[in-house]
Structures are given as structure tokens and as C-alpha cells.
Short mmCIF file of all heavy atoms in Angstrom, two decimals:
data_model
loop_
_atom_site.label_atom_id
_atom_site.label_comp_id
_atom_site.label_asym_id
_atom_site.label_seq_id
_atom_site.Cartn_x
_atom_site.Cartn_y
_atom_site.Cartn_z
N MET A 1 30.87 9.43 -10.33
CA MET A 1 30.42 8.70 -9.14
C MET A 1 29.99 7.28 -9.50
O MET A 1 29.23 7.12 -10.42
CB MET A 1 29.35 9.51 -8.53
CG MET A 1 28.91 8.90 -7.17
SD MET A 1 28.03 10.08 -6.14
CE MET A 1 26.36 9.77 -6.72
N ASP A 2 30.53 6.32 -8.83
CA ASP A 2 30.21 4.94 -9.09
C ASP A 2 29.64 4.27 -7.83
O ASP A 2 30.40 3.83 -6.97
CB ASP A 2 31.53 4.28 -9.52
CG ASP A 2 31.26 2.96 -10.26
OD1 ASP A 2 30.12 2.45 -10.21
OD2 ASP A 2 32.24 2.36 -10.72
N LEU A 3 28.32 4.31 -7.69
CA LEU A 3 27.68 3.77 -6.49
C LEU A 3 27.69 2.22 -6.49
O LEU A 3 27.34 1.59 -7.44
CB LEU A 3 26.24 4.18 -6.41
CG LEU A 3 26.01 5.62 -5.85
CD1 LEU A 3 24.48 5.87 -5.78
CD2 LEU A 3 26.61 5.79 -4.45
N VAL A 4 28.08 1.66 -5.32
CA VAL A 4 28.02 0.24 -5.23
C VAL A 4 26.82 -0.07 -4.29
O VAL A 4 26.01 -1.01 -4.76
CB VAL A 4 29.32 -0.31 -4.47
CG1 VAL A 4 29.17 -1.77 -4.19
CG2 VAL A 4 30.51 -0.05 -5.44
N CYS A 5 26.67 0.47 -3.24
CA CYS A 5 25.52 0.28 -2.36
C CYS A 5 24.50 1.37 -2.55
O CYS A 5 24.77 2.53 -2.05
CB CYS A 5 25.93 0.15 -0.89
SG CYS A 5 24.62 -0.11 0.24
N LEU A 6 23.42 1.07 -3.27
CA LEU A 6 22.55 2.11 -3.58
C LEU A 6 21.72 2.57 -2.35
O LEU A 6 21.45 3.71 -2.20
CB LEU A 6 21.46 1.56 -4.58
CG LEU A 6 22.08 1.03 -5.92
CD1 LEU A 6 21.10 0.34 -6.74
CD2 LEU A 6 22.82 2.20 -6.67
N CYS A 7 21.41 1.66 -1.46
CA CYS A 7 20.64 2.01 -0.26
C CYS A 7 21.31 3.05 0.62
O CYS A 7 20.75 3.98 1.13
CB CYS A 7 20.33 0.80 0.59
SG CYS A 7 19.25 -0.43 -0.14
N LYS A 8 22.63 2.88 0.76
CA LYS A 8 23.39 3.72 1.68
C LYS A 8 24.22 4.74 0.92
O LYS A 8 24.87 5.62 1.46
CB LYS A 8 24.36 2.82 2.49
CG LYS A 8 23.62 2.03 3.56
CD LYS A 8 23.16 3.02 4.69
CE LYS A 8 22.44 2.23 5.73
NZ LYS A 8 22.17 3.13 6.98
N GLY A 9 24.13 4.78 -0.41
CA GLY A 9 24.88 5.69 -1.19
C GLY A 9 26.37 5.62 -1.06
O GLY A 9 27.11 6.62 -0.97
N ILE A 10 26.92 4.40 -0.99
CA ILE A 10 28.35 4.15 -0.79
C ILE A 10 29.08 3.95 -2.13
O ILE A 10 28.62 3.02 -2.91
CB ILE A 10 28.67 2.94 0.11
CG1 ILE A 10 27.74 3.02 1.38
CG2 ILE A 10 30.12 2.90 0.42
CD1 ILE A 10 28.18 4.09 2.37
N GLU A 11 30.03 4.70 -2.44
CA GLU A 11 30.80 4.63 -3.67
C GLU A 11 31.88 3.58 -3.69
O GLU A 11 32.39 3.22 -2.69
CB GLU A 11 31.34 6.01 -3.98
CG GLU A 11 30.38 7.09 -4.25
CD GLU A 11 31.03 8.45 -4.45
OE1 GLU A 11 32.09 8.51 -5.11
OE2 GLU A 11 30.51 9.40 -3.87
N LYS A 12 32.14 3.17 -4.92
CA LYS A 12 33.18 2.17 -5.17
C LYS A 12 34.51 2.52 -4.50
O LYS A 12 35.17 1.68 -3.90
CB LYS A 12 33.35 2.03 -6.67
CG LYS A 12 34.31 0.94 -7.16
CD LYS A 12 34.34 0.97 -8.71
CE LYS A 12 35.29 -0.12 -9.19
NZ LYS A 12 35.23 -0.15 -10.68
N ASP A 13 34.96 3.79 -4.64
CA ASP A 13 36.24 4.24 -4.06
C ASP A 13 36.29 4.01 -2.49
O ASP A 13 37.31 3.69 -1.93
CB ASP A 13 36.49 5.72 -4.30
CG ASP A 13 36.74 5.95 -5.77
OD1 ASP A 13 36.91 5.04 -6.54
OD2 ASP A 13 36.80 7.13 -6.17
N ILE A 14 35.14 4.16 -1.84
CA ILE A 14 35.12 3.96 -0.38
C ILE A 14 35.31 2.49 -0.10
O ILE A 14 35.97 2.16 0.86
CB ILE A 14 33.77 4.53 0.16
CG1 ILE A 14 33.60 5.98 -0.26
CG2 ILE A 14 33.68 4.23 1.62
CD1 ILE A 14 33.13 6.99 0.70
N ILE A 15 34.66 1.62 -0.82
CA ILE A 15 34.78 0.19 -0.57
C ILE A 15 36.22 -0.21 -0.82
O ILE A 15 36.86 -0.98 0.00
CB ILE A 15 33.89 -0.67 -1.62
CG1 ILE A 15 32.48 -0.15 -1.55
CG2 ILE A 15 34.00 -2.14 -1.29
CD1 ILE A 15 31.56 -0.56 -0.42
N ILE A 16 36.79 0.22 -1.96
CA ILE A 16 38.20 -0.13 -2.23
C ILE A 16 39.15 0.31 -1.17
O ILE A 16 40.07 -0.41 -0.72
CB ILE A 16 38.58 0.46 -3.64
CG1 ILE A 16 37.78 -0.25 -4.71
CG2 ILE A 16 40.07 0.26 -3.90
CD1 ILE A 16 38.01 0.24 -6.13
N LYS A 17 38.96 1.52 -0.75
CA LYS A 17 39.80 1.98 0.38
C LYS A 17 39.69 1.11 1.61
O LYS A 17 40.72 0.76 2.28
CB LYS A 17 39.51 3.43 0.73
CG LYS A 17 40.43 4.01 1.83
CD LYS A 17 40.18 5.46 2.16
CE LYS A 17 41.19 6.06 3.10
NZ LYS A 17 41.44 5.19 4.28
N SER A 18 38.49 0.75 1.97
CA SER A 18 38.27 -0.13 3.16
C SER A 18 38.91 -1.43 2.95
O SER A 18 39.60 -1.95 3.88
CB SER A 18 36.75 -0.32 3.31
OG SER A 18 36.47 -1.22 4.31
N VAL A 19 38.92 -2.03 1.77
CA VAL A 19 39.53 -3.29 1.54
C VAL A 19 41.11 -3.13 1.64
O VAL A 19 41.72 -3.96 2.29
CB VAL A 19 39.16 -3.83 0.10
CG1 VAL A 19 39.96 -5.09 -0.23
CG2 VAL A 19 37.67 -4.12 0.05
N LYS A 20 41.61 -2.09 1.06
CA LYS A 20 43.10 -1.90 1.06
C LYS A 20 43.51 -1.56 2.54
O LYS A 20 44.69 -1.90 2.87
CB LYS A 20 43.45 -0.72 0.19
CG LYS A 20 43.26 -1.14 -1.31
CD LYS A 20 44.05 -0.25 -2.21
CE LYS A 20 43.86 -0.54 -3.67
NZ LYS A 20 44.44 -1.94 -4.08
N ASP A 21 42.66 -1.06 3.39
CA ASP A 21 42.95 -0.78 4.77
C ASP A 21 42.79 -2.10 5.58
O ASP A 21 42.94 -2.06 6.90
CB ASP A 21 42.10 0.35 5.31
CG ASP A 21 42.53 1.67 4.81
OD1 ASP A 21 43.62 1.76 4.29
OD2 ASP A 21 41.79 2.65 4.98
N GLY A 22 42.40 -3.19 5.01
CA GLY A 22 42.38 -4.47 5.76
C GLY A 22 41.04 -5.16 5.87
O GLY A 22 40.97 -6.25 6.43
N ALA A 23 39.94 -4.53 5.40
CA ALA A 23 38.68 -5.19 5.48
C ALA A 23 38.59 -6.27 4.33
O ALA A 23 38.33 -5.94 3.21
CB ALA A 23 37.49 -4.20 5.32
N ASP A 24 38.83 -7.53 4.64
CA ASP A 24 38.99 -8.54 3.60
C ASP A 24 37.78 -9.50 3.62
O ASP A 24 37.86 -10.57 2.90
CB ASP A 24 40.25 -9.32 3.87
CG ASP A 24 40.33 -9.94 5.18
OD1 ASP A 24 39.50 -9.82 6.06
OD2 ASP A 24 41.35 -10.66 5.45
N THR A 25 36.71 -9.15 4.25
CA THR A 25 35.51 -9.97 4.19
C THR A 25 34.28 -8.96 3.99
O THR A 25 34.41 -7.79 4.32
CB THR A 25 35.20 -10.78 5.47
OG1 THR A 25 34.93 -9.87 6.51
CG2 THR A 25 36.36 -11.72 5.76
N PHE A 26 33.19 -9.55 3.47
CA PHE A 26 31.97 -8.75 3.37
C PHE A 26 31.57 -8.07 4.63
O PHE A 26 31.27 -6.91 4.78
CB PHE A 26 30.87 -9.57 2.76
CG PHE A 26 29.58 -8.88 2.73
CD1 PHE A 26 29.32 -7.84 1.77
CD2 PHE A 26 28.55 -9.12 3.65
CE1 PHE A 26 28.12 -7.24 1.74
CE2 PHE A 26 27.33 -8.43 3.59
CZ PHE A 26 27.17 -7.47 2.64
N GLU A 27 31.67 -8.88 5.76
CA GLU A 27 31.16 -8.41 7.02
C GLU A 27 32.05 -7.27 7.53
O GLU A 27 31.55 -6.24 8.08
CB GLU A 27 31.25 -9.52 8.12
CG GLU A 27 30.13 -10.57 7.90
CD GLU A 27 30.33 -11.48 6.73
OE1 GLU A 27 31.52 -11.61 6.21
OE2 GLU A 27 29.36 -12.12 6.24
N LYS A 28 33.39 -7.29 7.34
CA LYS A 28 34.28 -6.26 7.78
C LYS A 28 34.04 -4.99 6.93
O LYS A 28 34.11 -3.91 7.54
CB LYS A 28 35.75 -6.68 7.55
CG LYS A 28 36.21 -7.74 8.58
CD LYS A 28 37.64 -8.06 8.45
CE LYS A 28 38.01 -9.29 9.22
NZ LYS A 28 39.37 -9.80 8.91
N VAL A 29 33.74 -5.11 5.64
CA VAL A 29 33.49 -3.91 4.83
C VAL A 29 32.15 -3.35 5.31
O VAL A 29 31.99 -2.00 5.39
CB VAL A 29 33.39 -4.31 3.34
CG1 VAL A 29 32.89 -3.09 2.50
CG2 VAL A 29 34.77 -4.70 2.77
N GLN A 30 31.16 -4.18 5.60
CA GLN A 30 29.93 -3.68 6.21
C GLN A 30 30.11 -2.78 7.38
O GLN A 30 29.67 -1.70 7.57
CB GLN A 30 29.07 -4.87 6.54
CG GLN A 30 27.87 -5.17 5.66
CD GLN A 30 26.98 -6.24 6.26
OE1 GLN A 30 27.47 -7.13 6.97
NE2 GLN A 30 25.80 -6.11 5.94
N LEU A 31 30.88 -3.36 8.39
CA LEU A 31 31.12 -2.66 9.56
C LEU A 31 31.89 -1.38 9.37
O LEU A 31 31.65 -0.35 10.01
CB LEU A 31 31.97 -3.54 10.56
CG LEU A 31 31.34 -4.53 11.42
CD1 LEU A 31 32.33 -5.36 12.20
CD2 LEU A 31 30.39 -3.78 12.40
N ASP A 32 32.83 -1.39 8.44
CA ASP A 32 33.70 -0.25 8.27
C ASP A 32 33.00 0.89 7.43
O ASP A 32 33.22 2.12 7.78
CB ASP A 32 34.90 -0.69 7.44
CG ASP A 32 35.99 0.31 7.41
OD1 ASP A 32 36.18 1.07 8.38
OD2 ASP A 32 36.68 0.45 6.31
N THR A 33 32.17 0.55 6.54
CA THR A 33 31.60 1.54 5.62
C THR A 33 30.09 1.69 5.68
O THR A 33 29.55 2.68 5.11
CB THR A 33 31.96 1.18 4.15
OG1 THR A 33 31.19 0.02 3.80
CG2 THR A 33 33.41 0.95 3.93
N GLU A 34 29.43 0.77 6.32
CA GLU A 34 27.91 0.67 6.30
C GLU A 34 27.31 0.20 4.95
O GLU A 34 26.10 0.14 4.83
CB GLU A 34 27.28 2.01 6.67
CG GLU A 34 27.48 2.46 8.17
CD GLU A 34 26.52 3.55 8.52
OE1 GLU A 34 25.99 4.27 7.75
OE2 GLU A 34 26.41 3.67 9.75
N ALA A 35 28.14 -0.03 4.00
CA ALA A 35 27.71 -0.64 2.75
C ALA A 35 27.05 -1.95 3.08
O ALA A 35 27.61 -2.71 3.93
CB ALA A 35 28.81 -0.80 1.75
N GLY A 36 25.94 -2.29 2.49
CA GLY A 36 25.29 -3.57 2.77
C GLY A 36 24.47 -3.64 3.95
O GLY A 36 24.01 -4.65 4.37
N THR A 37 24.24 -2.49 4.61
CA THR A 37 23.42 -2.44 5.79
C THR A 37 22.08 -1.73 5.56
O THR A 37 21.34 -1.27 6.51
CB THR A 37 24.09 -1.67 6.97
OG1 THR A 37 24.33 -0.29 6.54
CG2 THR A 37 25.46 -2.30 7.24
N GLY A 38 21.72 -1.48 4.32
CA GLY A 38 20.58 -0.75 4.00
C GLY A 38 19.27 -1.55 3.91
O GLY A 38 19.22 -2.74 4.28
N TYR A 39 18.27 -0.86 3.34
CA TYR A 39 16.93 -1.47 3.34
C TYR A 39 16.85 -2.86 2.57
O TYR A 39 16.14 -3.73 3.02
CB TYR A 39 16.04 -0.49 2.59
CG TYR A 39 14.58 -0.91 2.46
CD1 TYR A 39 13.76 -1.00 3.54
CD2 TYR A 39 14.12 -1.35 1.28
CE1 TYR A 39 12.41 -1.43 3.49
CE2 TYR A 39 12.84 -1.79 1.15
CZ TYR A 39 11.94 -1.80 2.28
OH TYR A 39 10.66 -2.26 2.15
N CYS A 40 17.60 -3.00 1.53
CA CYS A 40 17.52 -4.27 0.78
C CYS A 40 18.36 -5.37 1.43
O CYS A 40 18.43 -6.54 0.93
CB CYS A 40 17.93 -4.13 -0.67
SG CYS A 40 19.72 -4.10 -1.00
N ARG A 41 19.05 -5.07 2.52
CA ARG A 41 19.89 -6.04 3.24
C ARG A 41 20.87 -6.70 2.32
O ARG A 41 21.07 -7.88 2.33
CB ARG A 41 18.94 -7.09 3.89
CG ARG A 41 18.14 -6.46 5.00
CD ARG A 41 17.43 -7.49 5.83
NE ARG A 41 16.78 -6.90 6.92
CZ ARG A 41 17.34 -6.79 8.13
NH1 ARG A 41 18.58 -7.20 8.33
NH2 ARG A 41 16.69 -6.20 9.11
N ALA A 42 21.47 -5.91 1.48
CA ALA A 42 22.62 -6.29 0.62
C ALA A 42 22.16 -7.15 -0.60
O ALA A 42 23.11 -7.66 -1.25
CB ALA A 42 23.76 -6.92 1.43
N SER A 43 20.96 -7.30 -0.80
CA SER A 43 20.57 -8.20 -1.94
C SER A 43 21.00 -7.56 -3.26
O SER A 43 21.22 -8.22 -4.24
CB SER A 43 18.98 -8.39 -1.95
OG SER A 43 18.35 -7.24 -2.27
N ARG A 44 21.18 -6.20 -3.37
CA ARG A 44 21.59 -5.62 -4.54
C ARG A 44 23.11 -5.32 -4.64
O ARG A 44 23.62 -5.16 -5.66
CB ARG A 44 20.87 -4.23 -4.70
CG ARG A 44 19.38 -4.41 -5.01
CD ARG A 44 18.77 -3.14 -5.34
NE ARG A 44 18.75 -2.25 -4.14
CZ ARG A 44 18.17 -1.03 -4.16
NH1 ARG A 44 17.67 -0.52 -5.24
NH2 ARG A 44 18.21 -0.26 -3.04
N CYS A 45 23.83 -5.35 -3.46
CA CYS A 45 25.15 -4.96 -3.51
C CYS A 45 26.19 -5.95 -3.02
O CYS A 45 27.38 -5.80 -3.19
CB CYS A 45 25.38 -3.64 -2.66
SG CYS A 45 24.95 -3.79 -0.92
N LYS A 46 25.78 -7.09 -2.41
CA LYS A 46 26.65 -8.04 -1.84
C LYS A 46 27.68 -8.59 -2.89
O LYS A 46 28.86 -8.60 -2.70
CB LYS A 46 25.90 -9.12 -1.13
CG LYS A 46 26.88 -10.04 -0.38
CD LYS A 46 26.24 -10.96 0.61
CE LYS A 46 27.29 -11.73 1.35
NZ LYS A 46 26.62 -12.79 2.23
N CYS A 47 27.18 -9.03 -4.02
CA CYS A 47 27.98 -9.58 -5.09
C CYS A 47 29.07 -8.58 -5.49
O CYS A 47 30.25 -8.98 -5.70
CB CYS A 47 27.12 -10.00 -6.28
SG CYS A 47 26.26 -11.49 -6.00
N LYS A 48 28.62 -7.34 -5.69
CA LYS A 48 29.60 -6.38 -6.18
C LYS A 48 30.67 -6.07 -5.08
O LYS A 48 31.82 -5.91 -5.41
CB LYS A 48 28.87 -5.03 -6.49
CG LYS A 48 29.67 -4.01 -7.06
CD LYS A 48 30.14 -4.29 -8.47
CE LYS A 48 31.16 -3.21 -9.01
NZ LYS A 48 31.85 -3.60 -10.20
N ILE A 49 30.25 -5.98 -3.83
CA ILE A 49 31.25 -5.86 -2.79
C ILE A 49 32.17 -6.98 -2.68
O ILE A 49 33.46 -6.76 -2.55
CB ILE A 49 30.51 -5.62 -1.40
CG1 ILE A 49 29.71 -4.25 -1.34
CG2 ILE A 49 31.47 -5.66 -0.26
CD1 ILE A 49 28.75 -4.12 -0.28
N GLU A 50 31.71 -8.17 -2.81
CA GLU A 50 32.59 -9.33 -2.77
C GLU A 50 33.55 -9.38 -3.91
O GLU A 50 34.69 -9.78 -3.78
CB GLU A 50 31.74 -10.65 -2.72
CG GLU A 50 31.15 -10.80 -1.35
CD GLU A 50 30.15 -11.98 -1.26
OE1 GLU A 50 29.65 -12.44 -2.25
OE2 GLU A 50 29.90 -12.48 -0.13
N GLU A 51 33.10 -8.88 -5.06
CA GLU A 51 33.94 -8.81 -6.28
C GLU A 51 35.06 -7.81 -6.00
O GLU A 51 36.22 -8.05 -6.31
CB GLU A 51 33.10 -8.46 -7.36
CG GLU A 51 33.82 -8.34 -8.76
CD GLU A 51 32.89 -7.89 -9.83
OE1 GLU A 51 31.70 -8.26 -9.92
OE2 GLU A 51 33.31 -7.00 -10.64
N LEU A 52 34.74 -6.71 -5.44
CA LEU A 52 35.76 -5.64 -5.11
C LEU A 52 36.71 -6.12 -4.12
O LEU A 52 37.91 -5.78 -4.15
CB LEU A 52 35.05 -4.36 -4.64
CG LEU A 52 34.33 -3.53 -5.73
CD1 LEU A 52 33.50 -2.44 -5.10
CD2 LEU A 52 35.28 -3.03 -6.77
N ILE A 53 36.28 -6.97 -3.13
CA ILE A 53 37.22 -7.54 -2.12
C ILE A 53 38.18 -8.40 -2.85
O ILE A 53 39.39 -8.42 -2.67
CB ILE A 53 36.44 -8.33 -1.05
CG1 ILE A 53 35.61 -7.30 -0.18
CG2 ILE A 53 37.42 -9.10 -0.20
CD1 ILE A 53 34.66 -7.97 0.75
N ARG A 54 37.68 -9.31 -3.74
CA ARG A 54 38.55 -10.30 -4.46
C ARG A 54 39.64 -9.51 -5.28
O ARG A 54 40.76 -9.87 -5.38
CB ARG A 54 37.73 -11.09 -5.40
CG ARG A 54 37.08 -12.30 -4.68
CD ARG A 54 36.64 -13.41 -5.67
NE ARG A 54 35.71 -12.86 -6.69
CZ ARG A 54 34.35 -12.73 -6.49
NH1 ARG A 54 33.81 -13.08 -5.32
NH2 ARG A 54 33.58 -12.24 -7.41
N GLU A 55 39.17 -8.38 -5.94
CA GLU A 55 40.08 -7.70 -6.82
C GLU A 55 41.08 -6.82 -6.14
O GLU A 55 42.14 -6.50 -6.65
CB GLU A 55 39.15 -6.78 -7.72
CG GLU A 55 38.38 -7.52 -8.80
CD GLU A 55 37.40 -6.58 -9.48
OE1 GLU A 55 37.43 -5.39 -9.21
OE2 GLU A 55 36.73 -7.13 -10.37
N ASN A 56 40.73 -6.48 -4.85
CA ASN A 56 41.60 -5.38 -4.22
C ASN A 56 42.34 -5.82 -2.92
O ASN A 56 43.12 -5.06 -2.41
CB ASN A 56 40.77 -4.23 -3.92
CG ASN A 56 40.28 -3.51 -5.21
OD1 ASN A 56 41.13 -2.79 -5.88
ND2 ASN A 56 39.07 -3.71 -5.59
N LYS A 57 42.08 -7.09 -2.40
CA LYS A 57 42.74 -7.41 -1.17
C LYS A 57 44.17 -7.94 -1.41
O LYS A 57 44.50 -8.24 -2.50
CB LYS A 57 41.95 -8.38 -0.37
CG LYS A 57 41.92 -9.88 -0.88
CD LYS A 57 41.11 -10.75 0.01
CE LYS A 57 41.12 -12.14 -0.52
NZ LYS A 57 40.27 -12.98 0.30
S1 FES B 101 22.16 -1.66 -2.07
FE1 FES B 101 23.42 -2.08 -0.41
S2 FES B 101 22.11 -2.51 1.27
FE2 FES B 101 20.82 -2.19 -0.39
#
């Protein structure tokens, strides 16, 4: 298990699937998966999510 968003417990595979399904911005991944919507308001996961978008879109 490779957690990206610790607050929401969202795994890397879920983010990658969202990006491959067309979520090509941080905001779209947020809406699609709830990653980045937790208590820390993405301070811990935004960079990692943006990196996954760059690598997988
Ligand atoms: S780790 Fe993602 S919102 Fe806090």
C-alpha cells in the first residue's frame, strides 16, 4: 500500500487511475478522489499529487 494522501487514506493507484481517466489538474483529482481534501488541506500531499499528474497524464 502506497498512501499519497494521509488524511483521506488515498493510495497512489487511485490517483494514477484518476489521472489516466482524465483528471489532469490537482483540482480535478481532488474532486474525483477526495485526495487533498483532508485536515491538512493538502499541505502534505499536494506536491506528490502534482508529481503523479505530471508523470501519468
Ligand atoms: S494528506 Fe492529503 S489532505 Fe492531508
Side-chain angles (χ1 to χ4, degrees):
M1 188 161 86
D2 195 354
L3 277 183
V4 173
C5 179
L6 303 173
C7 294
K8 288 288 179 170
I10 311 291
E11 292 174 41
K12 185 177 178 178
D13 289 353
I14 303 225
I15 308 283
I16 291 174
K17 181 176 187 311
S18 175
V19 175
K20 291 198 181 294
D21 286 348
D24 57 358
T25 65
F26 173 74
E27 288 75 16
K28 288 181 193 173
V29 171
Q30 251 186 330
L31 274 177
D32 190 36
T33 68
E34 291 195 343
T37 65
Y39 179 73
C40 81
R41 297 189 170 268
S43 68
R44 292 185 292 181
C45 61
K46 187 171 185 182
C47 283
K48 184 67 185 171
I49 291 169
E50 287 176 338
E51 186 184 315
L52 288 170
I53 292 169
R54 279 196 302 277
E55 289 172 358
N56 293 284
K57 75 177 177 184

